[in-house]
Amino acid sequence: KPPAKRVRDNLLKTNFEEIKADMIQRATSTGNVDHDWTAQLIRTQLEPTKRKLVADSMIAFRQGYASVGGNIDDPLFVGVMSTARSEVRSRIEHYVTKLANNLVSSLNRNTDNNMDPNELAAKTRAVFDSLRFRTDFIEDVELRKARNLGLSRGLAARGVTQIYSIISNSSDPCPTC
């Protein structure tokens, strides 16, 4: 798969890599992985990441809204922003929680305390590496979706009800374009 487009601060990826380092260090030093501790660590460390991702997404929403001439000083904008925040938050909650659950279940399936510490660390590393692409993808897609949501809500605030797109393989599709 091609890599996801590089996002501004890679917060989710950075947090993911920090959790990975903590898990590998614990597996190497203690020779075991407490699955309950692991699940709690992952979910606890990803909570602030969700909030920061929502904040970044709302900035992208405002940029999209303002880019089409939407007036952010309009009193109706507060309602638009509130609705958008609910939509964005629920999407981010869903996908980051799903990532955490997949990570925890994969670690539970692939590691046990009867393994050699080096093998345990290698398996832990492999589990994290298998889900690394998803972290970039989630952050990139959610920021883009928030910006596009802002664009569509900004256009709607200006009275635009339909958008047409012309897709063509030709370099000169029509005289108007």
Side-chain angles (χ1 to χ4, degrees):
K1 295 179 182 178
K5 185 177 178 181
R6 184 161 171 76
V7 292
R8 189 172 37 139
D9 62 1
N10 276 334
L11 179 71
L12 187 59
K13 181 178 182 178
T14 302
N15 202 332
F16 190 78
E17 290 298 324
E18 289 171 1
I19 295 169
K20 174 184 169 182
D22 288 347
M23 293 297 303
I24 291 170
Q25 189 274 331
R26 183 172 172 102
T28 305
S29 65
T30 64
N32 68 21
V33 174
D34 178 357
H35 292 291
D36 293 332
W37 177 85
T38 301
Q40 195 60 31
L41 172 76
I42 291 168
R43 290 185 177 105
T44 301
Q45 295 237 354
L46 287 178
E47 271 311 306
T49 306
K50 289 179 195 177
R51 289 191 298 273
K52 176 71 167 110
L53 195 51
V54 168
D56 287 351
S57 295
M58 294 315 298
I59 291 169
F61 173 84
R62 285 178 63 122
Q63 290 170 342
Y65 190 88
S67 72
V68 294
N71 183 3
I72 59 174
D73 295 325
D74 183 358
L76 295 176
F77 178 69
V78 174
V80 170
M81 187 79 163
S82 177
T83 303
R85 179 177 288 281
S86 296
E87 291 177 37
V88 166
R89 183 183 299 126
S90 69
R91 285 184 54 82
I92 290 171
E93 277 284 334
H94 173 77
Y95 288 112
V96 174
T97 301
K98 190 173 179 181
L99 171 68
N101 290 341
N102 287 344
L103 183 58
V104 168
S105 67
S106 187
L107 283 169
N108 288 344
R109 274 194 320 274
N110 293 301
T111 61
D112 64 55
N113 292 330
N114 297 328
M115 294 179 161
D116 174 64
N118 293 329
E119 181 185 4
L120 186 60
K123 290 275 189 179
T124 302
R125 184 177 291 108
V127 166
F128 275 89
D129 289 346
S130 70
L131 295 170
R132 181 184 300 141
F133 176 80
R134 197 177 297 177
T135 62
D136 291 339
F137 190 74
I138 290 169
E139 193 163 3
D140 179 48
V141 167
E142 293 310 315
L143 291 174
R144 287 175 189 251
K145 281 195 172 276
R147 179 166 170 72
N148 288 338
L149 182 62
L151 283 166
S152 68
R153 299 285 165 85
L155 288 170
R158 292 184 57 131
V160 176
T161 58
Q162 292 183 335
I163 299 174
Y164 295 99
S165 178
I166 299 173
I167 301 173
S168 172
N169 291 334
S170 170
S171 62
D172 187 24
C174 70
T176 306
C177 299

